[in-house]
Amino acid sequence: MNALRPILALAGKEIRVATVSPVLYVVGGVFLAIIGLFFERIVAFASLQSMQMLRLQGALPQLDLTTLVFQPMFRNIHVILLLVIPLLTMRLLSEERKYKTAELLMTSPVTVTQLIAGKFAAVFALYAGLLVLTLYMPVLLDVWGAVDWPTVLAGYLGLLLVGAVYLALGLLASSLTENQISAGVVALGMILGLWVIGWAALTADSEELRSLLEYLSVTHHFENFLKGLLSVTGAAYALSLASFSLFLTHRVLDSSRWR
Protein backbone atom coordinates (compact mmCIF):
# COMPACT_ATOMS: atom_id res chain seq x y z
CA MET A 1 0.00 0.00 0.00
CA ASN A 2 2.89 2.36 0.79
CA ALA A 3 4.27 1.79 -2.72
CA LEU A 4 0.94 2.86 -4.21
CA ARG A 5 0.78 6.22 -2.43
CA PRO A 6 3.45 7.95 -4.57
CA ILE A 7 1.79 6.54 -7.71
CA LEU A 8 -1.64 7.85 -6.70
CA ALA A 9 -0.12 11.20 -5.66
CA LEU A 10 1.67 11.56 -9.01
CA ALA A 11 -1.45 10.52 -10.92
CA GLY A 12 -3.55 13.03 -9.00
CA LYS A 13 -1.03 15.80 -9.69
CA GLU A 14 -0.98 14.95 -13.42
CA ILE A 15 -4.78 14.98 -13.60
CA ARG A 16 -4.94 18.34 -11.81
CA VAL A 17 -2.35 19.81 -14.20
CA ALA A 18 -4.21 18.44 -17.21
CA THR A 19 -7.61 19.73 -16.06
CA VAL A 20 -6.35 23.33 -15.75
CA SER A 21 -4.76 23.20 -19.20
CA PRO A 22 -6.81 24.27 -22.24
CA VAL A 23 -5.19 21.46 -24.27
CA LEU A 24 -7.31 18.77 -22.60
CA TYR A 25 -10.54 20.67 -23.26
CA VAL A 26 -9.62 21.39 -26.88
CA VAL A 27 -8.60 17.77 -27.55
CA GLY A 28 -11.61 16.40 -25.68
CA GLY A 29 -14.00 18.82 -27.36
CA VAL A 30 -12.76 18.02 -30.85
CA PHE A 31 -12.81 14.27 -30.04
CA LEU A 32 -16.43 14.39 -28.83
CA ALA A 33 -17.54 16.70 -31.67
CA ILE A 34 -16.15 14.38 -34.36
CA ILE A 35 -17.67 11.33 -32.68
CA GLY A 36 -21.02 13.13 -32.38
CA LEU A 37 -20.91 13.97 -36.08
CA PHE A 38 -20.15 10.35 -37.03
CA PHE A 39 -22.89 9.13 -34.69
CA GLU A 40 -25.50 11.43 -36.25
CA ARG A 41 -24.53 10.35 -39.79
CA ILE A 42 -24.49 6.61 -38.98
CA VAL A 43 -27.86 6.78 -37.18
CA ALA A 44 -29.32 8.74 -40.11
CA PHE A 45 -28.09 6.02 -42.50
CA ALA A 46 -29.60 3.29 -40.28
CA SER A 47 -32.91 5.19 -40.19
CA LEU A 48 -32.90 5.47 -44.00
CA GLN A 49 -32.34 1.73 -44.31
CA SER A 50 -35.19 1.11 -41.86
CA MET A 51 -37.58 3.28 -43.91
CA GLN A 52 -36.61 1.53 -47.15
CA MET A 53 -37.22 -1.91 -45.59
CA LEU A 54 -40.55 -0.66 -44.19
CA ARG A 55 -41.69 0.35 -47.69
CA LEU A 56 -40.58 -3.01 -49.16
CA GLN A 57 -41.86 -5.31 -46.41
CA GLY A 58 -44.86 -3.28 -45.15
CA ALA A 59 -43.80 -3.77 -41.52
CA LEU A 60 -41.25 -2.15 -39.24
CA PRO A 61 -38.06 -4.29 -39.51
CA GLN A 62 -36.03 -5.50 -36.56
CA LEU A 63 -32.71 -3.68 -36.94
CA ASP A 64 -29.45 -4.98 -35.54
CA LEU A 65 -28.22 -1.72 -34.02
CA THR A 66 -24.95 -3.27 -32.91
CA THR A 67 -23.96 -4.12 -36.47
CA LEU A 68 -25.49 -1.06 -38.09
CA VAL A 69 -24.38 1.61 -35.60
CA PHE A 70 -21.90 0.53 -32.96
CA GLN A 71 -19.43 -1.53 -34.99
CA PRO A 72 -18.79 1.35 -37.45
CA MET A 73 -18.81 3.85 -34.54
CA PHE A 74 -16.14 1.95 -32.61
CA ARG A 75 -14.04 1.58 -35.77
CA ASN A 76 -14.26 5.35 -36.31
CA ILE A 77 -13.25 6.01 -32.69
CA HIS A 78 -10.30 3.65 -33.19
CA VAL A 79 -9.15 5.76 -36.15
CA ILE A 80 -9.61 9.04 -34.23
CA LEU A 81 -7.33 7.66 -31.49
CA LEU A 82 -4.44 7.94 -33.97
CA LEU A 83 -4.62 11.71 -33.49
CA VAL A 84 -5.96 11.98 -29.93
CA ILE A 85 -3.49 9.68 -28.14
CA PRO A 86 -0.29 11.50 -29.26
CA LEU A 87 -1.86 14.80 -28.16
CA LEU A 88 -2.65 13.37 -24.72
CA THR A 89 0.80 11.83 -24.16
CA MET A 90 3.29 14.12 -25.89
CA ARG A 91 3.95 16.37 -22.89
CA LEU A 92 3.99 13.74 -20.13
CA LEU A 93 7.76 13.13 -19.96
CA SER A 94 9.15 15.43 -22.65
CA GLU A 95 8.12 18.44 -20.56
CA GLU A 96 9.80 16.94 -17.48
CA ARG A 97 12.97 16.41 -19.52
CA LYS A 98 12.87 19.94 -20.94
CA TYR A 99 12.58 21.61 -17.54
CA LYS A 100 14.91 19.08 -15.86
CA THR A 101 12.20 18.16 -13.35
CA ALA A 102 12.44 14.45 -14.23
CA GLU A 103 15.92 14.31 -12.67
CA LEU A 104 14.58 15.98 -9.53
CA LEU A 105 11.77 13.46 -9.30
CA MET A 106 14.14 10.54 -9.78
CA THR A 107 16.46 11.77 -7.01
CA SER A 108 13.49 11.99 -4.65
CA PRO A 109 12.07 8.95 -2.81
CA VAL A 110 9.90 8.33 -5.90
CA THR A 111 11.29 5.47 -8.02
CA VAL A 112 11.35 5.43 -11.81
CA THR A 113 8.72 2.70 -11.79
CA GLN A 114 6.40 4.81 -9.62
CA LEU A 115 6.98 7.85 -11.83
CA ILE A 116 6.00 5.93 -14.98
CA ALA A 117 3.07 4.19 -13.28
CA GLY A 118 1.73 7.51 -11.99
CA LYS A 119 1.99 9.19 -15.41
CA PHE A 120 0.37 6.23 -17.15
CA ALA A 121 -2.45 5.92 -14.58
CA ALA A 122 -3.25 9.64 -14.98
CA VAL A 123 -3.43 9.64 -18.76
CA PHE A 124 -5.36 6.36 -18.82
CA ALA A 125 -7.92 7.83 -16.38
CA LEU A 126 -8.33 10.90 -18.62
CA TYR A 127 -8.74 8.68 -21.69
CA ALA A 128 -11.30 6.47 -19.92
CA GLY A 129 -13.16 9.62 -18.89
CA LEU A 130 -13.44 10.68 -22.54
CA LEU A 131 -14.87 7.26 -23.43
CA VAL A 132 -17.40 7.50 -20.59
CA LEU A 133 -18.66 10.74 -22.15
CA THR A 134 -19.57 8.78 -25.31
CA LEU A 135 -21.92 6.44 -23.41
CA TYR A 136 -24.80 8.74 -24.34
CA MET A 137 -24.83 6.93 -27.71
CA PRO A 138 -26.04 3.50 -26.51
CA VAL A 139 -28.24 5.16 -23.87
CA LEU A 140 -30.03 7.23 -26.52
CA LEU A 141 -30.45 4.29 -28.90
CA ASP A 142 -31.69 2.07 -26.07
CA VAL A 143 -34.74 4.35 -25.96
CA TRP A 144 -35.25 3.96 -29.73
CA GLY A 145 -34.56 0.23 -30.07
CA ALA A 146 -33.02 -2.85 -28.50
CA VAL A 147 -29.31 -2.37 -27.79
CA ASP A 148 -27.15 -5.46 -27.30
CA TRP A 149 -25.43 -4.13 -24.18
CA PRO A 150 -22.97 -7.05 -23.67
CA THR A 151 -21.64 -6.58 -27.21
CA VAL A 152 -21.50 -2.79 -26.84
CA LEU A 153 -19.64 -3.06 -23.52
CA ALA A 154 -17.22 -5.57 -25.11
CA GLY A 155 -16.54 -2.92 -27.76
CA TYR A 156 -15.78 -0.36 -25.04
CA LEU A 157 -13.46 -2.88 -23.36
CA GLY A 158 -11.67 -3.27 -26.70
CA LEU A 159 -11.27 0.52 -26.90
CA LEU A 160 -9.83 0.60 -23.38
CA LEU A 161 -7.31 -2.12 -24.24
CA VAL A 162 -6.12 -0.61 -27.53
CA GLY A 163 -6.03 2.76 -25.77
CA ALA A 164 -3.76 1.30 -23.07
CA VAL A 165 -1.37 0.07 -25.80
CA TYR A 166 -1.34 3.42 -27.63
CA LEU A 167 -0.96 5.43 -24.39
CA ALA A 168 2.00 3.26 -23.34
CA LEU A 169 3.61 3.84 -26.76
CA GLY A 170 2.91 7.56 -26.43
CA LEU A 171 4.58 7.62 -23.01
CA LEU A 172 7.60 5.82 -24.48
CA ALA A 173 7.79 8.38 -27.29
CA SER A 174 7.56 11.20 -24.75
CA SER A 175 10.52 9.78 -22.83
CA LEU A 176 12.76 9.93 -25.91
CA THR A 177 12.81 13.68 -26.50
CA GLU A 178 12.46 17.10 -24.85
CA ASN A 179 10.34 18.37 -27.73
CA GLN A 180 6.59 17.79 -27.38
CA ILE A 181 5.91 17.98 -31.12
CA SER A 182 8.62 15.41 -31.83
CA ALA A 183 7.17 13.16 -29.13
CA GLY A 184 3.73 13.42 -30.74
CA VAL A 185 5.07 12.59 -34.19
CA VAL A 186 7.07 9.60 -32.89
CA ALA A 187 3.99 8.31 -31.04
CA LEU A 188 1.90 8.63 -34.20
CA GLY A 189 4.57 6.70 -36.14
CA MET A 190 4.64 3.90 -33.55
CA ILE A 191 0.84 3.54 -33.56
CA LEU A 192 0.72 3.61 -37.35
CA GLY A 193 3.34 0.86 -37.35
CA LEU A 194 0.91 -1.41 -35.51
CA TRP A 195 -1.78 -0.61 -38.08
CA VAL A 196 0.60 -1.43 -40.93
CA ILE A 197 1.10 -4.92 -39.45
CA GLY A 198 -2.65 -5.46 -39.75
CA TRP A 199 -2.69 -4.27 -43.36
CA ALA A 200 0.28 -6.56 -44.16
CA ALA A 201 -1.69 -9.54 -42.79
CA LEU A 202 -4.37 -8.94 -45.45
CA THR A 203 -1.85 -9.39 -48.28
CA ALA A 204 0.39 -12.09 -46.75
CA ASP A 205 1.15 -14.95 -49.16
CA SER A 206 1.48 -17.83 -46.72
CA GLU A 207 -1.00 -18.94 -44.08
CA GLU A 208 1.72 -19.09 -41.40
CA LEU A 209 2.82 -15.51 -42.07
CA ARG A 210 -0.81 -14.31 -42.13
CA SER A 211 -1.51 -15.96 -38.76
CA LEU A 212 1.63 -14.40 -37.24
CA LEU A 213 0.82 -10.92 -38.54
CA GLU A 214 -2.80 -11.21 -37.38
CA TYR A 215 -1.62 -12.11 -33.88
CA LEU A 216 0.67 -9.06 -33.88
CA SER A 217 -2.07 -6.78 -35.25
CA VAL A 218 -3.95 -4.58 -32.78
CA THR A 219 -6.76 -4.18 -35.31
CA HIS A 220 -7.31 -7.95 -35.59
CA HIS A 221 -7.75 -8.36 -31.83
CA PHE A 222 -9.91 -5.23 -31.64
CA GLU A 223 -12.32 -6.68 -34.23
CA ASN A 224 -12.98 -9.67 -31.96
CA PHE A 225 -14.17 -7.33 -29.18
CA LEU A 226 -16.47 -5.53 -31.65
CA LYS A 227 -18.20 -8.87 -32.27
CA GLY A 228 -18.83 -9.22 -28.53
CA LEU A 229 -16.05 -11.78 -28.01
CA LEU A 230 -14.19 -11.29 -24.73
CA SER A 231 -10.94 -12.58 -26.17
CA VAL A 232 -8.45 -13.64 -23.50
CA THR A 233 -5.76 -13.79 -26.19
CA GLY A 234 -6.57 -10.24 -27.30
CA ALA A 235 -6.52 -8.93 -23.73
CA ALA A 236 -3.23 -10.73 -22.96
CA TYR A 237 -1.71 -9.35 -26.19
CA ALA A 238 -2.74 -5.76 -25.39
CA LEU A 239 -1.58 -5.91 -21.75
CA SER A 240 1.73 -7.53 -22.76
CA LEU A 241 2.42 -4.90 -25.41
CA ALA A 242 1.51 -2.05 -23.06
CA SER A 243 3.70 -3.54 -20.31
CA PHE A 244 6.63 -3.96 -22.72
CA SER A 245 6.30 -0.34 -23.84
CA LEU A 246 6.30 0.83 -20.21
CA PHE A 247 9.35 -1.38 -19.54
CA LEU A 248 11.18 0.31 -22.44
CA THR A 249 10.17 3.70 -21.01
CA HIS A 250 11.68 2.63 -17.69
CA ARG A 251 14.93 1.67 -19.42
CA VAL A 252 15.09 5.03 -21.25
CA LEU A 253 14.58 7.04 -18.04
CA ASP A 254 16.87 4.83 -16.00
CA SER A 255 19.69 5.16 -18.54
CA SER A 256 19.31 8.95 -18.58
CA ARG A 257 20.12 9.07 -14.85
CA TRP A 258 23.71 8.01 -15.55
CA ARG A 259 24.48 10.45 -18.35
Side-chain angles (χ1 to χ4, degrees):
M1 189 63 191
N2 288 336
L4 285 178
R5 285 179 183 163
I7 296 173
L8 296 175
L10 277 168
K13 171 182 167 289
E14 281 299 322
I15 291 174
R16 285 194 297 275
V17 169
T19 51
V20 298
S21 167
V23 174
L24 176 65
Y25 298 99
V26 171
V27 172
V30 171
F31 174 72
L32 294 173
I34 294 173
I35 287 175
L37 181 62
F38 276 123
F39 180 62
E40 189 274 332
R41 287 292 81 202
I42 291 172
V43 170
F45 177 73
S47 299
L48 180 62
Q49 281 199 321
S50 174
M51 294 304 295
Q52 289 175 340
M53 291 174 70
L54 176 62
R55 281 196 291 270
L56 291 173
Q57 299 176 0
L60 193 62
Q62 292 294 320
L63 294 178
D64 182 357
L65 292 178
T66 303
T67 304
L68 278 176
V69 176
F70 290 106
Q71 286 188 1
M73 271 308 306
F74 288 144
R75 290 191 184 101
N76 286 324
I77 293 175
H78 190 199
V79 174
I80 296 169
L81 293 185
L82 287 172
L83 300 176
V84 170
I85 296 292
L87 292 173
L88 287 177
T89 58
M90 63 184 189
R91 59 158 285 278
L92 286 175
L93 288 170
S94 60
E95 194 173 63
E96 303 278 8
R97 290 173 65 100
K98 181 177 180 181
Y99 296 111
K100 310 300 181 187
T101 50
E103 287 81 355
L104 291 175
L105 280 172
M106 287 185 287
T107 54
S108 69
V110 177
T111 65
V112 176
T113 302
Q114 290 168 334
L115 172 65
I116 294 170
K119 296 274 185 182
F120 180 77
V123 74
F124 186 78
L126 293 172
Y127 167 68
L130 287 177
L131 288 185
V132 167
L133 293 177
T134 67
L135 282 172
Y136 71 88
M137 297 185 297
V139 171
L140 278 178
L141 287 188
D142 198 38
V143 177
W144 183 47
V147 170
D148 182 2
W149 278 99
T151 302
V152 170
L153 292 177
Y156 272 105
L157 177 60
L159 285 174
L160 284 174
L161 288 170
V162 297
V165 172
Y166 296 163
L167 289 170
L169 288 173
L171 194 60
L172 172 60
S174 184
S175 72
L176 297 172
T177 175
E178 297 178 359
N179 187 291
Q180 292 188 30
I181 302 300
S182 299
V185 172
V186 171
L188 176 61
M190 289 178 174
I191 297 170
L192 274 176
L194 289 179
W195 280 65
V196 169
I197 292 174
W199 297 334
L202 298 175
T203 57
D205 294 330
S206 70
E207 189 62 34
E208 292 79 9
L209 180 59
R210 183 181 300 110
S211 299
L212 174 63
L213 292 174
E214 283 181 348
Y215 178 76
L216 296 174
S217 165
V218 168
T219 307
H220 172 73
H221 294 293
F222 180 61
E223 285 293 324
N224 288 332
F225 284 95
L226 295 191
K227 297 169 187 170
L229 302 175
L230 296 178
S231 168
V232 175
T233 304
Y237 164 81
L239 294 176
S240 300
L241 190 53
S243 300
F244 183 64
S245 300
L246 294 178
F247 168 75
L248 291 179
T249 306
H250 185 288
R251 298 301 301 164
V252 171
L253 290 185
D254 203 33
S255 64
S256 68
R257 301 171 70 182
W258 308 106
R259 292 175 188 168

